[in-house]
Amino acid sequence: MKSGKIRVGITHGDTNGVGYEIILKLFSEPMMLELCTPILYGSPKIATYHRKAMEINTNFLTITQANEANDEKLNLIDCMQEEIKIDFGKPTAESGKAALAALERAVEDYKQGGIDVLVTAPINKATIQSDNFHFPGHTEYIQERLGEGNEALMILMNELLKVALVTTHLPLKDISQAITEETIIRKTRIFSQALDRDFGIKKPRIAILSLNPHAGENGLLGDEEKNIIIPAINRLHDEGINCFGPFAADGFFGTAAYSLYDGVLAMYHDQGLAPFKALAMSSGVNYTAGLPVVRTSPDHGTAFDIAGKGAADENSLRQAVYAAIDIFRNRQRDDEAKANPLHKQTTEQNKEKQNNGGSPEK
């Protein structure tokens, strides 16, 4: 990065959704090109089709490798080997195949150091399924491909709150069995570490929600709170993690109690995401914490109902790009702060001695 800008890899998502619309709208803003070097993984032909269909006057530069990126332009790497038919608003096998092709290329470029962070436009979870993609969503795929053995944690975030999930894309009938003491402890540890390293919140306060209505009413409405969640909280306290609860989700969000905490751990997808999206409006970001890679995405889906109409709001994508850049920089600062000061001092002394003709210390 000669310019010092962070290289943001962006996948185009489902080509029949709003991915290209929000990407092209966002990078029509000169300020975004001053902030980062965007590299879009997709197709010049598809980008041009979307641009003309919605009359978005955003230029892009087609390149073949990430290291060819121009720091002053929206760069586009062609990931398509064949023509793809665009059918706005309809999930098709072709659009799913195109989404996967872009994602695979972006992941490989990240492994090779071509991009610094990854931002993914929305996919259709059904049409992207293939021999190379057999996951419930982006999070699980990226954990396997880029996780290096680490466990991912889905966090939905904006300036108001950060909501993490114990379970993600599971049917409701399977959730109770998936809620275990060990799982809650693992997820809370990852959440606490992410709030510290990725967001610079030291000794974060985490609220943990209950599974059952009214936090189980002492076993009357379910015993997961007594037998699983409270013991997990007690063990986390013993580790020095500031977590509290379990709180009944309705009252917790209804009274804005989330404002008293740095993060909220929900037991399942809709318990956390329904209130979050009601509060976040168009500013929400989906962040995959716990992994070496920094990956974010808008908190909305493909929006097939408005695809091709020019009505999509790009702000969630904007916030996803901002978040990826901020987290990348926070990690750099955290690594520098935690570097061994004695090693750094010895290295500097050795350099000084060598410059003066002396022998370095071992």
Side-chain angles (χ1 to χ4, degrees):
M1 293 187 298
K2 292 180 180 179
S3 67
K5 291 181 182 177
I6 294 171
R7 293 195 171 195
V8 180
I10 306 167
T11 58
H12 64 183
D14 192 290
T15 52
N16 291 334
V18 297
Y20 273 104
E21 179 182 346
I22 59 177
I23 293 167
L24 292 171
K25 282 182 175 179
L26 180 60
F27 289 101
S28 67
E29 303 172 14
M31 182 193 72
M32 295 304 301
L33 298 177
E34 295 173 5
L35 185 65
C36 65
T37 301
I39 302 174
L40 172 58
Y41 291 85
S43 161
K45 290 183 179 179
I46 298 175
T48 300
Y49 184 93
H50 281 252
R51 185 173 63 180
K52 289 181 177 178
M54 285 166 284
E55 298 181 349
I56 304 172
N57 299 318
T58 304
N59 295 320
F60 57 84
L61 174 67
T62 302
I63 59 176
T64 58
Q65 302 291 334
N67 59 14
E68 299 172 357
N70 186 314
D71 290 324
E72 308 300 326
K73 297 183 180 297
L74 171 61
N75 303 274
L76 192 153
I77 293 179
D78 190 355
C79 304
M80 306 294 105
Q81 299 298 318
E82 56 192 58
E83 295 285 338
I84 300 292
K85 180 184 177 183
I86 305 302
D87 201 349
F88 286 125
K90 295 183 180 179
T92 65
E94 285 184 311
S95 65
K97 185 177 179 180
L100 180 56
L103 182 59
E104 288 180 323
R105 177 64 187 274
V107 164
E108 287 305 312
D109 275 7
Y110 175 83
K111 287 181 176 180
Q112 299 300 321
I115 56 176
D116 299 306
V117 298
L118 179 62
V119 177
T120 56
I123 58 171
N124 180 279
K125 292 177 176 61
T127 60
I128 199 173
Q129 299 297 319
S130 71
D131 292 340
N132 295 326
F133 193 103
H134 45 84
F135 305 91
H138 274 120
T139 302
E140 296 82 2
Y141 172 84
I142 291 170
Q143 174 180 293
E144 180 171 293
R145 295 294 306 277
L146 300 175
E148 298 179 8
N150 294 282
E151 184 176 4
L153 177 70
M154 182 186 291
I155 299 176
L156 274 291
M157 51 176 276
N158 74 346
E159 68 280 1
L160 289 175
L161 74 162
K162 296 175 178 64
V163 178
L165 305 177
V166 175
T167 62
T168 53
H169 301 110
L170 280 181
L172 278 174
K173 64 182 179 64
D174 298 332
I175 288 172
S176 180
Q177 288 184 326
I179 301 294
T180 68
E181 190 175 331
E182 294 301 326
T183 301
I184 292 170
I185 289 170
R186 287 200 323 274
K187 297 292 186 179
T188 307
R189 285 173 182 158
I190 298 169
F191 198 12
S192 181
Q193 291 166 1
L195 290 169
D196 181 331
R197 184 175 185 227
D198 298 342
F199 301 102
I201 303 170
K202 303 306 175 186
K203 290 291 182 181
R205 291 167 51 85
I206 298 173
I208 297 181
L209 301 184
S210 64
L211 175 64
N212 297 298
H214 306 292
E217 290 280 20
N218 293 317
L220 180 66
L221 302 178
D223 57 13
E224 285 86 356
E225 285 73 23
K226 289 197 306 179
N227 296 339
I228 297 172
I229 301 176
I230 292 174
I233 291 173
N234 291 336
R235 286 175 58 187
L236 288 162
H237 283 166
D238 292 340
E239 295 181 13
I241 294 176
N242 292 325
C243 57
F244 307 88
F247 299 103
D250 57 349
F252 182 83
F253 286 106
T255 60
Y258 56 82
S259 64
L260 303 175
Y261 299 90
D262 300 303
V264 180
L265 184 71
M267 291 296 118
Y268 58 93
H269 188 279
D270 285 13
Q271 182 189 52
L273 268 58
F276 174 82
K277 290 189 177 184
L279 292 165
M281 300 297 288
S282 63
S283 65
V285 174
N286 180 354
Y287 170 48
T288 303
L291 305 182
V293 62
V294 174
R295 175 259 168 169
T296 64
S297 72
D299 75 341
H300 59 75
T302 54
F304 285 138
D305 57 324
I306 59 171
K309 298 178 181 179
D313 186 344
E314 71 275 18
N315 189 48
S316 184
L317 177 63
R318 178 185 293 106
Q319 300 305 321
V321 173
Y322 288 168
I325 292 169
D326 287 344
I327 292 167
F328 183 82
R329 288 175 174 159
N330 285 341
R331 287 187 176 187
Q332 286 183 320
R333 283 191 285 265
D334 187 70
D335 290 344
E336 290 171 1
K338 293 176 179 176
N340 187 336
L342 293 178
H343 173 74
K344 182 179 179 182
Q345 182 179 2
T346 302
T347 301
E348 290 174 349
Q349 288 173 344
N350 285 341
K351 287 181 179 178
E352 185 177 351
K353 285 188 176 182
Q354 285 177 318
N355 291 336
N356 295 330
S359 299
E361 295 178 5
K362 294 183 179 180

